[in-house]
Amino acid sequence: MPQDRFQGHDYYLMDELLTEEHRLVRDSVREWVKRDISPIIEDYAQRAEFPTQIIDGLAGIGAFGPYIPAEYGGGGMDQITYGLIMQEIERGDSGVRSTASVQSSLVMYPIYTYGSEEQRRKFLPKLASGEWMGCFGLTEPNHGSNPSGMLTHYTDDGDHVILNGSKMWISNAPFAQLAVVWAKDPEGVIRGIIVERDMPGFSTPETHNKWSLRASATGELVFDNVRVPKANILPNVKGLKGPLGCLNSARYGIAWGAIGAAMDCYDTALRYSQERIQFGRPIGGFQLQQKKLAEMITEITKAQLLTWRLGVLKNENRATPAQISMAKRNNVNMALQIAREARQILGGMGITGEYPIMRHMMNLESVITYEGTHDIHLLITGMDVTGFNAFT
Amino acid sequence: MKVLVCISNVPDTTTKITFNDDNKSLNINGVQFIINPYDEIALTRALELTEAQGGTVTVLHVGDSSTEPTLRKALAIGAHDAVRIDALPRDAFFVAMQISAYAKEQNYDLILTGRESIDYNGAQVSSMLAELLDLPSVNIVKSLQIEGGQASLEREIEGGKEVISCPLPLVASATEGMAEPRIPNMRGIMSARTKPLTVVPAVEVPVYQHIERLEKPAPRSSVKLVDATETVKLVGLLHQEAKVI
Ligand SMILES: Cc1cc2nc3c(=O)[nH]c(=O)nc-3n(C[C@H](O)[C@H](O)[C@H](O)COP(=O)(O)OP(=O)(O)OC[C@H]3O[C@@H](n4cnc5c(N)ncnc54)[C@H](O)[C@@H]3O)c2cc1C
C-alpha cells in the first residue's frame, strides 16, 4: 500500500470537546497505526492471516482494557478514550479493531464485571499485556440473533463441570489462550465460564474463505466433554444479561470504530478527487463527486456528535442499551455506505489493494452483521419507542 | 547523568500556512501543533542514554500555557519532568537567553536541542545557548555516544563524516539518525499525569529584531507540455518564461 497520508476530519471542531489526554491517546494510536498497521495490513488481509506480531503493540498503546482499572493491568481511562482507541484502530482495519474489541469488551469486561477477585487477578493482567489472548463464545450454528436458545451446556461433576456443545464465528478463536463461553447450567440458566486452551476436549478449528475481516482469525469452539473447574465459572451474573452486558460495551466501541473506517474512506476519496484529473480538471470539481463527498462528511460529522454524546452518557453510567444500539446501527451503516460511495470516486483504482477502501467495505459487511445485525438493532429501537416486542 | 532537552512546538507538517492580517505572524487558528521532529529525536536519544546509564531527562519549552500538551506528550514519551518558561518565543536570542538563565542553575551534564525547528528554521538556539552557558557546542549530530563523562559525536559532512570527542557538559543539536522517535504508550500517558511540570517566569531580554513581513512563496505554476518535435518553442520558453537559460 502506498504511504498512509491519513488526516483526521473534524468539521465541527469536536476536538474542543475532548481533553488533552484524549487527544494525546488518539494521536498516539493514530501514529502507531500509521507505523505498524498501514504498511502491512493489506498484505495480511490478502493472505487471510492475522498479524500476530502486532499484539505487543496493541497492548502497548492500551488497546486491551483501556477502561479496566490500573490495578488489574488496564489503563484506568474513561469511555471516550476507549472509543477513540477503537476509532483509530478501525481506521487502520476493522479486523484488528475486532481483536481489540473482543479482548477488551468481551473477555476482560466480563471477567472484571462478573468475575471473582481471584479470577480478576489471575486473568486480567495477562490479558492487558497481550500475553494471553481471549475470545468470546456466544453464537452457535443454530442460534445467532437468538442466543437464548443456545444448546451448549454443562453438567455437574464435583468441583468441576463437564461442558458440551459448539460455538461458531468466534473471533480470535484460532489463537486464543482462553475463551469466555456462555453455556446453560444444569438448571438451564445461561452462565459465563472460562475455558482454557489446554483443557482436554476443547478445540478451535479455523473458519476459512471469509471475504471480510480477512486479517482477523475466526473459528469455532468445540467442547467435547471438557472438564472445567467450577472456579472458572463467572460467579456474579446469571442469564442473558451477562453476554448482553459485554455486547453493550463492545457495540459502544464499534460505534466509534466505524467512524474510523468511514474517515479513512472519505479521506482517501477526498484526496484522490483533488489529484485525479479527467476532462482537464480534478474530478473533485465535478458536482456529482462533490455530492458524494459533501454527504460523506455530513454523515461522519453527525456520527461523531452522536458518539461523543453517547461517550459522555457512558462515562456517567447513563447510556442505555437501546441508545448504544442506535449508535452501532447508525454508524456502521453510515461507514458502509461511505465505503461504497468512496470506492466509486476512485474508479478502477478503488478495486485494488493499492487503496484501503474495498478492504474497509468488505470488513464492514461483518461489522454490520456481528454484535447484533442491522435488523436486530432496529428491532431494539422499535421496541424501545413503541413498547412492543417484534422479535418473536 | 542529568540531561536537558529543549523542545519547541511547531505546526504539523501538513498545515496549510496562512498569516494574520498584518502579515507579521502566523495564523494559528485550527493549526495542529506537534513536538518539533528533531527535538523528538533528541528526546529519544536522551531517554536511551539515561535508561542505559541512569539519570534524568528534563524537557524544557519556552511558550505560553497553550503549548502544555506538547510538554505532556514529552512526559508521556518518557521525560522525568518538564519546565515551561512562560513567554512567547519571540526569536532565537530570546529563547536562548531564557533557557540559559534557567539552565545556569541546574548543572546539566548534557543539553540537547533539535538541529532547527521546522517552523522558522533558524537553527540558532543551540549555538547561542552553548555560548551563553560557555559550553562546547556541536551541531547537526547524527550519532551521540557517552562513556565516562566523554561524548563521541558523529556529523555528516560533505562527502564523508566527522567524528568528534568532547568532554561533558556540552550542548549538541540532533538530526535524523541519532535515534528513532518513540510513540507514547498507555503506561507513559498514565504516568505523565503525575509527573511535575514547573512553570518558570521569563527573564527580561532586550529586543533586537522585528519581523517586518512574512510572505509565502509564489504558487507553483502548472506543468507545460511541449511536443518533442518543437525544440525551438521549448528553448524559447526556457529562455523567456522560466528564465533559466
Ligand atoms: C467475522 C465474524 C466474526 C464474529 N465474531 C463473533 C464472536 O467473536 N463471538 C460470537 O459469539 N459471535 C461472533 N460472530 C457471530 C455474529 O454475532 C452473528 O453472525 C450474528 O449475531 C448474526 O447471527 P447469524 O449469523 O446466526 O444470523 P441469523 O440470526 O440467522 O440472522 C440471519 C438474518 O435474519 C435476520 N433476523 C434474525 N432474527 C430476526 C427477527 N426476529 N426479525 C427480523 N429479522 C431477523 C437477521 O437480521 C439477518 O439478516 C461473528 C460473525 C462474523 C461474521
Side-chain angles (χ1 to χ4, degrees), chain A residues 286-326:
Chain A
F286 296 117
Q287 286 186 353
L288 282 175
Q289 306 315 317
Q290 287 190 3
K291 175 173 188 292
K292 294 190 185 106
L293 292 163
E295 286 177 353
M296 284 181 206
I297 189 63
T298 307
E299 289 307 314
I300 288 171
T301 304
K302 282 153 68 178
Q304 285 171 328
L305 284 161
L306 182 77
T307 315
W308 175 81
R309 176 62 188 154
L310 187 65
V312 172
L313 290 173
K314 196 114 190 349
N315 277 341
E316 296 169 353
N317 233 335
R318 292 198 293 146
T320 66
Q323 286 170 333
I324 293 170
S325 278
M326 182 185 281

Side-chain angles (χ1 to χ4, degrees), chain A residues 102 106 136-141 143-146 168-172 210 212-213 218 366 369-376 379 390-392:
Chain A
V102 168
L106 302 181
F136 173 90
L138 178 66
T139 306
E140 297 187 355
H143 298 92
S145 299
N146 174 27
M168 200 178 176
W169 296 118
I170 308 305
S171 306
N172 296 0
K210 301 197 310 280
S212 172
L213 296 192
T218 313
S366 287
T369 299
Y370 69 23
E371 300 274 349
T373 66
H374 193 59
D375 298 334
I376 292 296
L379 296 180
F391 288 90
T392 50

